[in-house]
Each structure stands twice: as structure tokens, then as C-alpha cells.
Amino acid sequence: MINRITITKKTARKGDDGHKVISVRMPDETLARLERLSAETNRSRNELINLLLSAALDKVSVE
């Protein structure tokens, strides 16, 4: 007869790497500009969005 069931903890779940998946709505023209920049730089949209957001966040001020 089994008296105890032992379950070990898993290491970080898939996706628990310090990044989160989000959904963003944007105007068609913004997406088109992003697509052009992606093709020109050979970088993914995801990579570009992260680079551009990081740069903008470093320059923003709240009044």
C-alpha cells in the first residue's frame, strides 16, 4: 500500500526566463514602418520593439 506520493519541484517553467509575452495593438502604418526596419536591419520585430522601447524609456520624462 502506498502511504505517500512525492512530487519534486520543477526548475523554472518554460517562459519563466525574465520575459513575458504581451499583445500590442498598433496602427497599420506603425506596423508597416516596423516591418520595413526589420527587413532593412535583418532583425526580428520582437528584437526591434525591445530595442526601441528601451531607448524610449531611457529618454522619457514625466511632468
Side-chain angles (χ1 to χ4, degrees), residues 7-26:
I7 300 173
T8 59
K9 292 183 181 180
K10 288 177 75 173
T11 56
R13 293 181 182 174
K14 185 177 179 181
D16 287 350
D17 59 356
H19 295 82
K20 300 292 181 234
V21 176
I22 63 167
S23 176
V24 177
R25 291 173 53 94
M26 67 178 64

Side-chain angles (χ1 to χ4, degrees), residues 11-59:
T11 56
R13 293 181 182 174
K14 185 177 179 181
D16 287 350
D17 59 356
H19 295 82
K20 300 292 181 234
V21 176
I22 63 167
S23 176
V24 177
R25 291 173 53 94
M26 67 178 64
D28 291 338
E29 179 54 31
T30 302
L31 181 56
R33 291 174 65 191
L34 189 59
E35 292 285 355
R36 285 192 296 272
L37 187 58
S38 177
E40 184 180 330
T41 61
N42 198 31
R43 293 181 181 263
S44 70
R45 287 181 306 189
N46 179 68
E47 186 176 6
L48 288 172
I49 290 168
N50 278 291
L51 289 169
L52 294 167
L53 279 174
S54 291
L57 288 170
D58 289 342
K59 296 179 184 216

